[in-house]
Amino acid sequence: MGRRRAPELYRAPFPLYALQVDPSTGLLIAAGGGGAAKTGIKNGVHFLQLERINGRLSASLLHSHDTETRATMNLALAGDILAAGQDAHCQLLRFQAHQQKGNKAEKAGSKEQGPRQRKGAAPAEKKCGGGAETQHEGLELRVENLQAVQTDFSSDPLQKVVCFNHDNTLLATGGTDGYVRVWKVPSLEKVLEFKAHEGEIEDLALGPDGKLVTVGRDLKASVWQKNQLVTQLHWQENGPTFSSTPYRYQACSESGTFLGLGTVTGSVAIYIAFSLQCLYYVREAHGIVVTDVAFLPEKGRGPELLGSHETALFSVAVDSRCQLHLLPSRRSVPVWLLLLLCVGLIVVTILLLQSAFPGFL
């Protein structure tokens, strides 16, 4: 039997580094590029329309937003606003999707390449999931650049992570200089700046109570209230000790039903979040480092696109591919049947006791 393979949902003309899914429109947003090097590899943010065609989930290119010489390395989504980490800067983008009317499309307010609207499957679009073409008119998308700001100031500056707070009024950035910076949205006025780690910040998350969690390459995971340290974990003190192997905290995330994992060897897995039971695993699905993963949201258009599956995970990698990982629905016994079995078991037990000990009742 051959190695298990995941379906290729989309292939971009550049390496892919970041991924987001918009629950309201069902758009899959993939970004990356070749950077400023003059290699001929472009940079862009691709907006893909997700659809179910002939019972299978497929994706087609709806809009390609050109980011010129800047490769997008990380993304965060807040409604119709994207925060894109590009080199040492954070660029805000606003996208607006609406049903296409007529044969003429308005010109987008940003430089772009590829098809910017979709009627069926245009020849330049990439399809999968059976390759069936749709006949109805699709979405039209407009993308515009908003504010941009430099967020990292090290000798080799790079923004490594960006995230919004719970009400999308603030965003936080972290990079190679070890500083956390918090900005108002959409003005990008800086409201907070402090040194969080010695070296690069790997990940961060903003909580609804105003607390901030950061993890860094210095082996520390920290919880902050504004710029005041609340508590801190250090791998050598709080984690298992392996003298010959360096370990560090890599990521922090919100709780949920499932945990999606991509590895440096290209493997992809889905676990139950609370028990870490592995439900899905494809070894070397990409064959090269997985740069980002994202679940299909359980709200908005998510359930419609998911069909009979329990969840869907998207993965992207430096190999320019976006893959689809579907978790089939697990069979479970209905609650009403469990209750009926319990009642039946009680009745049978009582009858057996009455038979063995006459006059028991």
Side-chain angles (χ1 to χ4, degrees):
M1 182 180 294
R3 179 182 295 178
R4 184 179 185 181
R5 295 185 181 276
E8 181 178 309
L9 193 68
Y10 179 73
R11 180 170 295 199
F14 46 72
L16 291 172
Y17 296 106
L19 191 62
Q20 288 288 326
V21 186
D22 178 31
S24 61
T25 61
L27 290 176
L28 180 64
I29 305 166
K38 296 180 179 180
T39 59
I41 301 176
K42 298 178 180 179
N43 302 288
V45 179
H46 281 191
F47 294 79
L48 309 175
Q49 184 173 355
L50 293 173
E51 298 175 292
R52 288 193 67 81
I53 300 177
N54 296 336
R56 301 178 66 181
L57 191 61
S58 68
S60 55
L61 180 61
L62 179 66
H63 181 96
S64 176
H65 181 74
D66 182 14
T67 57
E68 300 178 347
T69 61
R70 303 177 305 278
T72 298
M73 306 299 291
N74 41 83
L75 284 174
L77 177 64
D80 61 353
I81 292 181
L82 272 175
Q86 300 172 350
D87 299 330
H89 295 76
C90 183
Q91 172 71 60
L92 293 188
L93 305 171
R94 175 175 280 125
F95 63 95
Q96 295 176 317
H98 54 273
Q99 287 297 323
Q100 184 178 309
K101 294 181 181 179
N103 296 323
K104 239 178 160 182
E106 296 181 59
K107 194 173 181 181
S110 64
K111 294 184 179 180
E112 55 180 304
Q113 295 173 349
R116 62 171 309 278
Q117 65 180 32
R118 185 177 178 278
K119 294 170 74 173
E125 295 172 340
K126 304 212 177 213
K127 301 276 294 178
C128 82
E133 294 190 4
T134 55
Q135 300 301 319
H136 62 82
E137 291 186 345
L139 292 173
E140 181 180 1
L141 197 73
R142 299 187 62 177
V143 181
E144 60 176 325
N145 290 324
L146 301 179
Q147 301 294 327
V149 68
Q150 185 171 349
T151 62
D152 193 83
F153 297 88
S154 66
S155 57
D156 188 16
L158 177 67
Q159 177 181 299
K160 296 200 68 177
V161 61
V162 59
C163 72
F164 288 93
N165 68 341
H166 69 289
D167 61 2
N168 301 330
T169 58
L170 299 172
L171 68 83
T173 59
T176 55
D177 65 1
Y179 277 81
V180 168
R181 296 176 175 90
V182 181
W183 316 82
K184 288 184 180 180
V185 178
S187 66
L188 292 185
E189 174 189 349
K190 185 165 61 179
V191 296
L192 183 64
E193 177 182 29
F194 64 94
K195 181 77 169 181
H197 292 273
E198 295 299 328
E200 301 178 7
I201 294 177
E202 298 285 2
D203 201 5
L204 54 80
L206 282 166
D209 57 356
K211 287 189 173 67
L212 179 72
V213 182
T214 63
V215 293
R217 191 171 284 269
D218 57 4
L219 313 181
K220 296 177 182 178
S222 306
V223 180
W224 307 86
Q225 185 72 56
K226 293 189 175 179
N227 61 349
Q228 299 300 310
L229 182 64
V230 176
T231 187
Q232 188 174 78
L233 297 176
H234 193 281
W235 185 267
Q236 302 301 331
E237 299 172 0
N238 308 102
T241 302
F242 303 96
S243 58
S244 61
T245 308
Y247 282 84
R248 66 178 184 269
Y249 298 102
Q250 177 66 27
C252 48
S253 62
E254 298 179 358
S255 61
T257 307
F258 300 105
L259 171 69
L261 177 67
T263 72
V264 293
T265 58
S267 301
V268 176
I270 301 175
Y271 296 84
I272 296 177
F274 71 90
S275 67
L276 293 184
Q277 176 189 350
C278 185
L279 301 176
Y280 175 97
Y281 179 75
V282 179
R283 182 171 175 266
E284 296 180 358
H286 287 275
I288 196 169
V289 59
V290 176
T291 50
D292 204 359
V293 295
F295 281 105
L296 183 66
E298 297 179 356
K299 57 184 179 179
R301 292 196 62 214
E304 167 200 339
L305 295 168
L306 196 58
S308 60
H309 294 87
E310 192 161 358
T311 192
L313 179 71
F314 305 100
S315 64
V316 293
V318 183
D319 61 6
S320 306
R321 293 184 298 159
C322 176
Q323 290 187 350
L324 171 65
H325 309 272
L326 291 169
L327 181 65
S329 294
R330 293 167 289 167
R331 294 182 180 179
S332 58
V333 180
V335 175
W336 64 267
L337 183 56
L338 287 175
L339 293 175
L340 185 60
L341 289 172
C342 290
V343 172
L345 183 60
I346 294 172
V347 170
V348 170
T349 302
I350 293 174
L351 292 176
L352 289 175
L353 289 173
Q354 179 66 21
S355 175
F357 305 100
F360 174 75
L361 293 178

